[in-house]
Amino acid sequence: MWRHLAYNSEVKRMPLSRLESNGDKRRRRLTVDCSSSSRGLFLGILLFVTVIISLKSFYSLVQVDPNSINVVLISHFTEIALYTMALISTIVAAVRMKDLKFDINERAKLEENLIGISQLGLFMYGVFSLVAGSLEYYTARGAFTIVTNILMMVQAALQTIFLFPAMRMSARKEQSNKPGREFVTFLLLCNFCLWVVNTFETIRPEHNSVQISIYGEDAWAIFVHISVPLAIFYRFHSTVCLSHIWKNAWKARVETQ
């Protein structure tokens, strides 16, 4: 709303009858093209169901024994799997979309600024977690903390590098196969799953036992409540940007003089 408000002032000068006719035409043309995304959607839904089962298992084990190694295994295995699949999807989508047209005049400053600011919180959480994990690298908890946070930061960095140009891409002509769209679909659902995990699992003390043992409960609680909301917003806003790419990247844009 902030970006688009008052930019379409010529609409105010249109006759009411013209506005109504244009609105009727637009309603008739409003369609959603879901071609070349069914496999990504199916695998993404399957992944979401798996994440829900993992979260349920995590909360059940926490109630039985918060210090159990199984709690660490479930939480970190889930994140490692999500980050790995999201990383592969990002790379494959970028390779498949390399032949699309890049519009240097297309501006998406607000989205880019929001992604960049929220990614700072994600990197802050990752760096502090890596420091804590490196001090206990000889334990299973420390090793999993190191692997998880390295994958998280690498995936987020590559995804941001992919999002910035992809939001400015369009098809050179109408394409029926839409290369890379199913991977964008799957990446969108991966980010939604990561948003769920960060919201309901990452902030839990049982997930951050290594960090708490190094920094202390009070200091880590303050840091988590600063960095994790930004990390959550990064995942949420990434789904918004990916939905924009999914909708617009494979449409041929009309050149305007």
Side-chain angles (χ1 to χ4, degrees):
M1 291 172 62
W2 176 85
R3 191 179 71 174
H4 294 288
L5 190 63
Y7 276 86
N8 203 17
S9 57
E10 67 274 7
V11 175
K12 298 178 180 178
R13 299 192 294 270
M14 287 185 181
L16 181 60
S17 59
R18 186 179 173 186
L19 284 174
E20 291 174 350
S21 61
N22 287 344
D24 293 339
K25 292 178 181 178
R26 185 170 182 176
R27 281 193 293 272
R28 287 196 295 267
R29 292 198 305 265
L30 187 60
T31 58
V32 179
D33 181 12
C34 296
S35 60
S36 301
S37 58
S38 56
R39 286 183 294 183
L41 180 62
F42 173 77
L43 292 175
I45 293 173
L46 185 63
L47 182 65
F48 177 71
V49 173
T50 305
V51 167
I52 296 299
I53 295 172
S54 173
L55 284 175
K56 178 62 177 175
S57 302
F58 174 82
Y59 277 91
S60 299
L61 289 171
V62 164
Q63 292 178 354
V64 175
D65 183 9
N67 298 318
S68 172
I69 189 63
N70 292 326
V71 173
V72 177
L73 292 176
I74 288 177
S75 61
H76 284 286
F77 274 159
T78 302
E79 289 191 61
I80 289 172
L82 286 171
Y83 292 135
T84 302
M85 287 186 284
L87 179 61
I88 294 172
S89 298
T90 302
I91 295 172
V92 176
V95 172
R96 294 284 182 89
M97 295 173 64
K98 62 183 177 62
D99 293 328
L100 295 180
K101 181 175 65 175
F102 177 77
D103 187 359
I104 195 171
N105 297 317
E106 181 73 16
R107 306 302 296 169
K109 281 189 175 181
L110 179 62
E111 286 80 1
E112 293 172 0
N113 291 337
L114 291 175
I115 287 288
I117 292 171
S118 59
Q119 193 174 30
L120 289 176
L122 188 146
F123 280 171
M124 288 168 57
Y125 177 88
V127 169
F128 275 82
S129 297
L130 278 176
V131 171
S134 64
L135 295 176
E136 295 191 15
Y137 68 92
Y138 49 86
T139 65
R141 298 174 189 268
F144 279 121
T145 300
I146 292 172
V147 173
T148 301
N149 286 278
I150 288 177
L151 279 173
M152 176 187 69
M153 290 191 292
V154 170
Q155 190 278 325
L158 290 179
Q159 179 173 285
T160 300
I161 295 172
F162 166 72
L163 288 176
F164 284 2
M167 285 189 289
R168 301 181 183 184
M169 286 183 173
S170 61
R172 300 181 185 275
K173 59 182 180 179
E174 291 299 331
Q175 295 177 312
S176 58
N177 56 345
K178 296 179 174 56
R181 198 185 196 199
E182 59 186 2
F183 291 96
V184 171
T185 306
F186 183 73
L187 184 59
L188 189 155
L189 290 167
C190 273
N191 276 270
F192 180 74
C193 291
L194 286 167
W195 173 79
V196 172
V197 169
N198 291 336
T199 302
F200 296 103
E201 184 178 283
T202 304
I203 205 167
R204 297 273 302 189
E206 296 82 6
H207 181 270
N208 303 303
S209 58
V210 174
Q211 295 91 320
I212 291 174
S213 66
I214 299 298
Y215 300 112
E217 291 186 7
D218 294 337
W220 183 250
I222 293 172
F223 182 75
V224 161
H225 284 83
I226 295 173
S227 61
V228 172
L230 288 172
I232 291 171
F233 180 76
Y234 174 82
R235 294 300 172 186
F236 178 81
H237 194 61
S238 293
T239 62
V240 176
C241 295
L242 287 165
S243 65
H244 173 82
I245 296 168
W246 183 88
K247 180 181 178 183
N248 298 306
W250 290 273
K251 291 181 179 179
R253 298 180 185 176
V254 179
E255 297 290 341
T256 57
Q257 300 295 333

Short mmCIF file of all heavy atoms in Angstrom, two decimals, residues 20-30:
data_model
loop_
_atom_site.label_atom_id
_atom_site.label_comp_id
_atom_site.label_asym_id
_atom_site.label_seq_id
_atom_site.Cartn_x
_atom_site.Cartn_y
_atom_site.Cartn_z
N GLU A 20 -16.15 1.31 -14.55
CA GLU A 20 -16.97 0.11 -14.37
C GLU A 20 -16.70 -0.89 -15.47
O GLU A 20 -16.59 -2.09 -15.23
CB GLU A 20 -18.45 0.50 -14.33
CG GLU A 20 -18.81 1.28 -13.06
CD GLU A 20 -20.25 1.77 -13.11
OE1 GLU A 20 -20.86 1.66 -14.21
OE2 GLU A 20 -20.75 2.26 -12.10
N SER A 21 -16.58 -0.40 -16.70
CA SER A 21 -16.35 -1.33 -17.81
C SER A 21 -14.98 -1.99 -17.69
O SER A 21 -14.82 -3.18 -17.93
CB SER A 21 -16.47 -0.60 -19.15
OG SER A 21 -15.48 0.43 -19.22
N ASN A 22 -13.96 -1.19 -17.28
CA ASN A 22 -12.63 -1.77 -17.09
C ASN A 22 -12.63 -2.79 -15.97
O ASN A 22 -11.98 -3.83 -16.06
CB ASN A 22 -11.61 -0.66 -16.77
CG ASN A 22 -11.28 0.18 -17.99
OD1 ASN A 22 -11.57 -0.23 -19.12
ND2 ASN A 22 -10.70 1.36 -17.77
N GLY A 23 -13.37 -2.50 -14.90
CA GLY A 23 -13.46 -3.45 -13.80
C GLY A 23 -14.13 -4.73 -14.23
O GLY A 23 -13.70 -5.83 -13.85
N ASP A 24 -15.19 -4.63 -15.02
CA ASP A 24 -15.86 -5.83 -15.50
C ASP A 24 -14.94 -6.66 -16.38
O ASP A 24 -14.90 -7.89 -16.27
CB ASP A 24 -17.12 -5.44 -16.30
CG ASP A 24 -18.17 -4.80 -15.39
OD1 ASP A 24 -18.08 -5.02 -14.16
OD2 ASP A 24 -19.03 -4.07 -15.90
N LYS A 25 -14.18 -5.99 -17.25
CA LYS A 25 -13.26 -6.72 -18.11
C LYS A 25 -12.17 -7.42 -17.29
O LYS A 25 -11.80 -8.55 -17.57
CB LYS A 25 -12.60 -5.76 -19.12
CG LYS A 25 -13.56 -5.21 -20.15
CD LYS A 25 -12.85 -4.24 -21.07
CE LYS A 25 -13.80 -3.66 -22.12
NZ LYS A 25 -13.11 -2.68 -22.98
N ARG A 26 -11.69 -6.71 -16.27
CA ARG A 26 -10.63 -7.32 -15.46
C ARG A 26 -11.15 -8.53 -14.72
O ARG A 26 -10.44 -9.53 -14.58
CB ARG A 26 -10.07 -6.29 -14.48
CG ARG A 26 -8.88 -6.82 -13.70
CD ARG A 26 -8.20 -5.72 -12.94
NE ARG A 26 -7.03 -6.22 -12.23
CZ ARG A 26 -6.19 -5.46 -11.54
NH1 ARG A 26 -6.41 -4.17 -11.45
NH2 ARG A 26 -5.16 -5.99 -10.92
N ARG A 27 -12.36 -8.46 -14.20
CA ARG A 27 -12.92 -9.61 -13.49
C ARG A 27 -13.07 -10.80 -14.43
O ARG A 27 -12.87 -11.94 -14.03
CB ARG A 27 -14.26 -9.24 -12.87
CG ARG A 27 -14.13 -8.44 -11.57
CD ARG A 27 -15.47 -8.39 -10.85
NE ARG A 27 -16.45 -7.62 -11.58
CZ ARG A 27 -16.61 -6.30 -11.45
NH1 ARG A 27 -15.84 -5.62 -10.62
NH2 ARG A 27 -17.52 -5.67 -12.13
N ARG A 28 -13.42 -10.53 -15.66
CA ARG A 28 -13.56 -11.62 -16.62
C ARG A 28 -12.21 -12.22 -16.99
O ARG A 28 -12.11 -13.40 -17.28
CB ARG A 28 -14.27 -11.12 -17.88
CG ARG A 28 -15.76 -10.87 -17.68
CD ARG A 28 -16.45 -10.76 -19.02
NE ARG A 28 -16.00 -9.61 -19.77
CZ ARG A 28 -16.60 -8.42 -19.74
NH1 ARG A 28 -17.65 -8.23 -18.95
NH2 ARG A 28 -16.14 -7.42 -20.46
N ARG A 29 -11.14 -11.39 -16.95
CA ARG A 29 -9.82 -11.88 -17.32
C ARG A 29 -9.06 -12.49 -16.16
O ARG A 29 -8.00 -13.04 -16.35
CB ARG A 29 -8.98 -10.73 -17.90
CG ARG A 29 -9.45 -10.20 -19.23
CD ARG A 29 -8.33 -9.41 -19.88
NE ARG A 29 -7.83 -8.37 -19.00
CZ ARG A 29 -8.24 -7.12 -19.03
NH1 ARG A 29 -9.19 -6.74 -19.87
NH2 ARG A 29 -7.73 -6.22 -18.20
N LEU A 30 -9.56 -12.37 -14.93
CA LEU A 30 -8.83 -12.81 -13.75
C LEU A 30 -8.76 -14.33 -13.70
O LEU A 30 -9.74 -15.01 -13.42
CB LEU A 30 -9.51 -12.28 -12.49
CG LEU A 30 -8.76 -12.53 -11.17
CD1 LEU A 30 -7.38 -11.88 -11.22
CD2 LEU A 30 -9.56 -12.00 -9.99
#
